[in-house]
Amino acid sequence: MKTISTWAAHGGTQGVYSHASEATGTEMTFAVFVPPQAKVAPCPVVTYLSGLTCTHANVMEKGEYRRAAAEHGLIVVCPDTSPRGEDVADDDAYDMGQGAGFYLDATEEPWARHFRMESYIRDELPAVIAANFPVDADRQSILGHSMGGHGALTLALKNPERYRACSAFAPIVAPIDVPWGQKALPAYLGRDEQSWRQYDACALIADGARFPEFLVDQGTGDNFLTEQLRPELFDKACAEAGIPLTLRMQPGYDHSYYFISTFMADHLDWHAKRLKG
């Protein structure tokens, strides 16, 4: 692991790091906030997954998570959204390729060589964090925004033994049924629609996946709400499966980090209670 930069913040340390990833075959950059409590004992880990076009820097600079993380003694890990580099496949559109990994393991060319973000987030990055930071690996949780919300929900549903809590800001809950997913899933995974279901939170629940509970915040002023996000589908899926869901429709909020930063402390408080309980 290489240290790119560090800053003192709220009694802890905000850093940016990189490492050579076996999963993606590229150099991957990520941010980690270590709270002051880590000087005394290992701390729980919260992983935040960002949305389309983002890097680690978007939430690090705009998410306003450090005060709450320091208060609760949480290590916050913020990975990139895809592999990057000159030899990494890309697309001219913002919603495919670099910056748009959809937190899946691609099986189709030209994506299969590098786009293995599910394996990276689930397996490789936690091992790197555990080897280099004072983490309590038995206490982990996950949250995300938009495409990252999709990643958080699907990873939690498929790995309930790994994550003690999961929440999301404006997640893509049913990519099979919306334009973003209808473009990305066949490109990354091929035309077998059955393979898409493992990366669709609503489909996973319909197929029997379970998680103890979810928290979702969604802005009513989000311009992606009705076409791309459709939280009512997740609400229905959770209700039919008996999964407790706190879905908060926040009046007037859009899809931006103004929205995320407003409710970030609420989410970290929610995670902290479940990580420490």
Side-chain angles (χ1 to χ4, degrees):
M1 190 186 76
K2 303 173 186 175
T3 299
I4 297 173
S5 54
T6 60
W7 304 270
H10 295 280
T13 302
Q14 175 66 66
V16 177
Y17 310 91
S18 71
H19 74 113
S21 167
E22 292 184 7
T24 68
T26 66
E27 192 80 2
M28 295 295 291
T29 302
F30 58 94
V32 180
F33 174 71
V34 179
Q37 294 89 334
K39 299 171 185 175
V40 178
C43 292
V45 184
V46 181
T47 298
Y48 175 91
L49 304 183
S50 292
L52 288 165
T53 75
C54 291
T55 70
H56 69 279
N58 296 77
V59 67
M60 186 182 78
E61 296 170 358
K62 303 175 184 177
E64 300 183 19
Y65 57 80
R66 279 171 288 272
R67 182 183 296 277
E71 176 184 343
H72 294 297
L74 301 174
I75 291 175
V76 179
V77 178
C78 307
D80 202 348
T81 53
S82 78
R84 300 178 190 270
E86 292 184 2
D87 64 338
V88 176
D90 202 4
D91 190 273
D92 291 337
Y94 75 95
D95 53 358
M96 276 292 299
Q98 296 186 38
F102 273 85
Y103 302 102
L104 52 74
D105 284 353
T107 57
E108 298 296 300
E109 296 300 336
W111 315 106
R113 180 181 172 193
H114 297 295
F115 282 71
R116 299 186 54 79
M117 289 301 293
E118 180 180 37
S119 293
Y120 178 71
I121 297 297
R122 184 192 61 215
D123 301 322
E124 186 175 20
L125 182 58
V128 172
I129 299 300
N132 290 279
F133 298 93
V135 302
D136 183 344
D138 292 328
R139 293 189 292 164
Q140 297 187 49
S141 70
I142 193 165
L143 76 159
H145 168 235
S146 194
M147 179 185 71
H150 140 78
L153 295 176
T154 56
L155 280 160
L157 283 163
K158 289 193 281 186
N159 303 277
E161 74 290 344
R162 168 75 61 85
Y163 303 108
R164 292 198 185 184
C166 176
S167 69
F169 301 98
I172 306 170
V173 300
I176 288 174
D177 297 312
V178 303
W180 275 335
Q182 289 165 351
K183 177 180 180 179
L185 295 179
Y188 288 134
L189 301 173
R191 292 293 173 180
D192 179 7
E193 295 187 15
Q194 191 63 33
S195 69
W196 305 352
R197 297 182 68 82
Q198 64 180 312
Y199 297 111
D200 181 302
C202 290
L204 282 166
I205 291 172
D207 292 345
R210 296 293 182 265
F211 197 75
E213 59 182 328
F214 294 106
L215 168 65
V216 172
D217 272 318
Q218 172 65 61
T220 63
D222 191 323
N223 60 316
F224 299 116
L225 175 58
T226 58
E227 183 181 28
Q228 302 280 18
L229 304 177
R230 305 192 62 188
E232 72 279 1
L233 297 180
F234 192 61
D235 191 23
K236 182 177 182 233
C238 287
E240 290 177 350
I243 300 174
L245 166 65
T246 302
L247 174 59
R248 307 192 303 186
M249 300 300 295
Q250 303 291 1
Y253 284 91
D254 64 7
H255 202 67
S256 72
Y257 271 90
Y258 294 109
F259 160 60
I260 297 166
S261 64
T262 299
F263 301 103
M264 180 66 82
D266 287 358
H267 281 244
L268 291 182
D269 178 68
W270 192 84
H271 282 254
K273 289 174 181 176
R274 286 148 184 82
L275 286 165
K276 296 176 182 179

